[in-house]
Amino acid sequence: MNILVIGTGAIGSFYGSLLTRSGHTVSVVARSDYETVKQHGIAINSAPLGDYHFQPARVVRSGAELAEKPDYVLLCVKVVKGADRIGLLKDVLGEDTRIVLISNGIDIENEIAEAFPGHELISGLAFICVTRTEPGKVWHQAYGRLVLGNYPQGVSDSTRALCDAYKRAGISCATSENITTARWQKCVWNAAFNPISVLAGGLGTAEILKEQEPLLRGIMREITEIAHAAGHTLAADVIDISIGSTLTMPTYKTSMLIDFEAGRPMETEAILGNAVKWGQRLGVAVPHLETLYGLMKLRERSMNRLLS
């Protein structure tokens, strides 16, 4: 398969590199780290898989530079204010190119589905501890499981083929007939740990869990209640599983905390704001989530003032 990855952050670099390990041709669109990736490729420091080097077939600043349109384009950019996802995609799509979104958040697909209705849309969820430590260097601490499904529902042959490619690369990959339900499941963890890590002044996941497990469970419970009201009932033990997986992972800086410390936009709306809006729309009481959301908006305002 001919694959283009847009975004050479932690997620794009890692999941793009895996497809080269299973024999596919992978090019990347790099922006701020273009020169580094062009000259040196990307070093993957992986505890589970071992260290290895990812040299993309081509490194470009824009997908418009590629003469051949890809079979799949993996859009691995965060859903934040100012991210022009439609603009990033519009010049790279061939007639049969499949669009793959690997990003956090609730309600992140519809904008792309409406902009490109003639293209198959695959939504992906990454369950992983991975960080870009500097341009061209990625640290994979733990996990790596990927879940893929067509949006709004179903699993196509193209999705199964991509899933098989990841399995051959050595990670766990599963398909989901209802990827929206799977998104709510991942939001159980993200909505709790991501904003708290920022509001708590930079604490890692292990410290947060040790000090505030009841608070985390209350936040997680509200996400499950919204999901149920929206027709996406989650497993009864989803909160225990989320807590248990955190206990077994190395202490970890969340992606939102890394962005905050770097002065970059955070996924507040995609992870937290959209969940709050669903709760309010459906009449579900979400006091924990509303409080977190309000505090995060204040933290964003404070950060913007410091940067201006």
Side-chain angles (χ1 to χ4, degrees):
M1 297 184 291
N2 179 20
I3 296 157
L4 176 65
V5 177
I6 299 178
T8 48
I11 293 295
S13 296
F14 180 72
Y15 286 103
S17 74
L18 290 176
L19 293 170
T20 65
R21 288 164 64 100
S22 57
H24 301 289
T25 301
V26 181
S27 299
V28 301
V29 174
R31 290 171 289 178
S32 62
D33 55 357
Y34 171 82
E35 294 295 341
T36 299
V37 176
K38 179 80 171 177
Q39 294 181 32
H40 306 291
I42 299 170
I44 310 291
N45 178 6
S46 174
L49 299 177
D51 296 350
Y52 62 95
H53 182 258
F54 168 39
Q55 184 60 57
R58 287 199 64 189
V59 180
V60 297
R61 296 184 188 273
S62 166
E65 298 174 36
L66 296 172
E68 184 180 359
K69 301 300 184 183
D71 300 311
Y72 295 81
V73 55
L74 274 61
L75 184 60
C76 301
V77 299
K78 292 178 180 176
V79 185
V80 296
K81 186 177 180 180
D84 183 9
R85 298 190 298 160
I86 294 172
L88 290 170
L89 286 168
K90 66 181 181 180
D91 291 328
V92 307
L93 300 177
E95 184 177 343
D96 298 318
T97 302
R98 295 89 167 171
I99 301 170
V100 185
L101 305 180
I102 305 181
S103 304
N104 285 324
I106 299 296
D107 281 349
I108 69 160
E109 299 97 343
N110 198 50
E111 176 189 34
I112 305 301
E114 289 183 351
F116 306 105
H119 291 270
E120 182 176 343
L121 180 55
I122 302 168
S123 189
L125 299 168
F127 297 82
I128 188 170
C129 297
V130 67
T131 306
R132 190 187 78 155
T133 55
E134 59 183 273
K137 292 187 179 181
V138 171
W139 179 28
H140 174 211
Q141 289 177 262
Y143 306 118
R145 180 172 178 263
L146 195 61
V147 177
L148 301 171
N150 287 78
Y151 180 81
Q153 61 185 9
V155 177
S156 68
D157 289 342
S158 298
T159 302
R160 292 188 183 92
L162 186 60
C163 186
D164 289 342
Y166 278 114
K167 290 177 181 177
R168 288 194 298 273
I171 66 159
S172 172
C173 187
T175 58
S176 172
E177 291 283 346
N178 195 330
I179 197 65
T180 303
T181 298
R183 280 204 170 274
W184 280 107
Q185 179 178 332
K186 188 160 193 256
C187 192
V188 168
W189 193 94
N190 276 332
F193 280 98
N194 269 283
I196 287 181
S197 67
V198 173
L199 297 170
L203 294 181
T205 52
E207 295 171 287
I208 293 170
L209 181 56
K210 180 180 178 181
E211 293 293 332
Q212 290 295 332
E213 182 175 338
L215 173 60
L216 292 165
R217 286 182 176 272
I219 297 164
M220 292 177 175
R221 190 174 303 111
E222 289 180 6
I223 293 292
T224 66
E225 290 168 354
I226 300 168
H228 176 73
H232 301 283
T233 300
L234 305 181
D237 61 351
V238 65
I239 294 175
D240 289 335
I241 290 173
S242 294
I243 295 293
S245 67
T246 309
L247 287 170
T248 61
M249 72 169 63
T251 191
Y252 177 62
K253 276 191 175 185
T254 68
S255 60
M256 195 177 281
L257 175 58
I258 291 169
D259 287 337
F260 173 72
E261 291 180 340
R264 295 190 296 260
M266 295 179 286
E267 300 167 295
T268 304
E269 294 300 329
I271 291 175
L272 201 55
N274 289 348
V276 168
K277 292 179 180 70
W278 268 102
Q280 293 171 341
R281 187 182 309 143
L282 296 170
V284 178
V286 288
H288 290 95
L289 292 171
E290 288 174 337
T291 300
L292 280 181
Y293 181 54
L295 291 172
M296 283 299 299
K297 297 304 288 183
L298 290 173
R299 180 54 60 92
E300 287 182 334
R301 179 178 289 272
S302 173
M303 183 174 73
N304 291 339
R305 181 177 295 174
L306 289 173
L307 294 173
S308 62

